[in-house]
Amino acid sequence: MLAKLLNLRKRVPDFVPAMEPGLRVYAVGDIHGRLDLLDAILTRIDADHAARPPADRHIIFLGDLVDRGPDSAGVVERIRGLCARDPQIHCIMGNHEEIFLRAIDGDDKALRLFCRIGGRETMLSYGVTAEDYERLDYAEVVERLNAVVPPEHRAFLDGLKEIMILGDYAFVHAGVRPGIAIADQKLAETRWIRDPFLDHRAPLEKMVVHGHTVAEEAEILPHRIGIDTGAYHSDRLTALMLEDQAREIFST
């Protein structure tokens, strides 16, 4: 009986997720205002893609473009331009984009959170001086945000994707709630979830590729691949390449 069970187990291979045939997908982790690292990782992606056989290339940015780093405005403009020129470049909304937009709209709770989680650096990147920022009260922050953030940036951020499915992979900002089908996920939760997703260990409907939670190195588990390596303070922006059953991780 034991021998039969062992033979049965040998005949059932572990599930290996695969990308759609003909696609080569690069996912990029949380950028947080580091335009220098964004340009560096894009150069790496271009070189990697050129060195491989022909395939349809997609690039997916996993959100948190803004806050903390020195050039959020530059990052938004760069990715907005990339998406406008190439329909195979995509961007997912992170929780920092959500808070940024809500702060611009004058949501008091979001505004206070924005100022605590790196919004100062975002405002400085849009031309507000450090001296001016220190003198602003919350109402004046809203007024200044509406004056300095271009309408095209707001429209771009407001239209970001919530989730993308390609092959056996789901791309989100933070994660998904285990036990709920991908199609039934609460989209706002995919930008914020931590422990229920991170503590889960069993396979999910899709292999989930995400950012949001910082680790020193990319994390590869049976149900998820996390690629937020804290670029704004570590100088390490991480990308993941997926093609067929292959995957490769590289960083700045």
Side-chain angles (χ1 to χ4, degrees), residues 86-100:
D86 187 343
Q88 294 185 168
I89 296 180
H90 321 273
C91 191
I92 289 169
M93 182 180 288
N95 59 308
H96 281 257
E97 282 76 57
E98 176 189 336
I99 292 299
F100 185 32

Side-chain angles (χ1 to χ4, degrees), residues 178-246:
I180 298 177
I182 295 291
D184 297 329
Q185 293 286 325
K186 294 181 179 179
L187 297 181
E189 192 169 44
T190 66
R191 298 193 292 267
W192 290 93
I193 195 168
R194 288 195 194 272
D195 290 349
F197 171 65
L198 299 174
D199 293 343
H200 185 73
R201 288 295 180 266
L204 296 167
E205 178 184 349
K206 298 285 186 179
M207 172 67 84
V208 177
V209 179
H210 67 96
H212 187 58
T213 299
V214 177
E216 289 188 8
E217 303 288 344
E219 297 183 307
I220 302 178
L221 282 78
H223 67 300
R224 67 179 181 89
I225 303 175
I227 58 170
D228 180 3
T229 47
Y232 71 95
H233 64 81
S234 71
D235 296 328
R236 186 185 303 114
L237 178 61
T238 295
L240 166 69
M241 188 285 299
L242 300 167
E243 185 175 11
D244 297 325
Q245 293 184 337

Side-chain angles (χ1 to χ4, degrees), residues 121-137:
E121 289 74 22
T122 295
M123 292 190 68
L124 267 55
S125 77
Y126 279 99
V128 177
T129 67
E131 295 76 12
D132 282 349
Y133 177 83
E134 298 303 329
R135 290 195 292 263
L136 298 175
D137 60 25

Side-chain angles (χ1 to χ4, degrees), residues 128-196:
V128 177
T129 67
E131 295 76 12
D132 282 349
Y133 177 83
E134 298 303 329
R135 290 195 292 263
L136 298 175
D137 60 25
Y138 285 121
E140 291 168 332
V141 168
V142 175
E143 181 180 348
R144 191 63 63 88
L145 281 171
N146 278 274
V148 300
V149 178
E152 56 268 28
H153 282 204
R154 293 181 63 178
F156 171 68
L157 295 175
D158 192 53
L160 294 182
K161 301 176 186 295
E162 300 282 358
I163 189 168
M164 283 192 67
I165 306 293
L166 290 172
D168 294 324
Y169 292 89
F171 301 85
V172 297
H173 175 63
V176 299
R177 183 163 291 278
I180 298 177
I182 295 291
D184 297 329
Q185 293 286 325
K186 294 181 179 179
L187 297 181
E189 192 169 44
T190 66
R191 298 193 292 267
W192 290 93
I193 195 168
R194 288 195 194 272
D195 290 349

Side-chain angles (χ1 to χ4, degrees), residues 95-96 98-117 138 142 145 192:
N95 59 308
H96 281 257
E98 176 189 336
I99 292 299
F100 185 32
L101 290 170
R102 287 170 55 194
I104 293 172
D105 287 339
D107 181 301
D108 184 66
K109 183 178 179 180
L111 180 63
R112 293 172 185 273
L113 182 56
F114 172 73
C115 292
R116 292 202 306 270
I117 62 172
Y138 285 121
V142 175
L145 281 171
W192 290 93

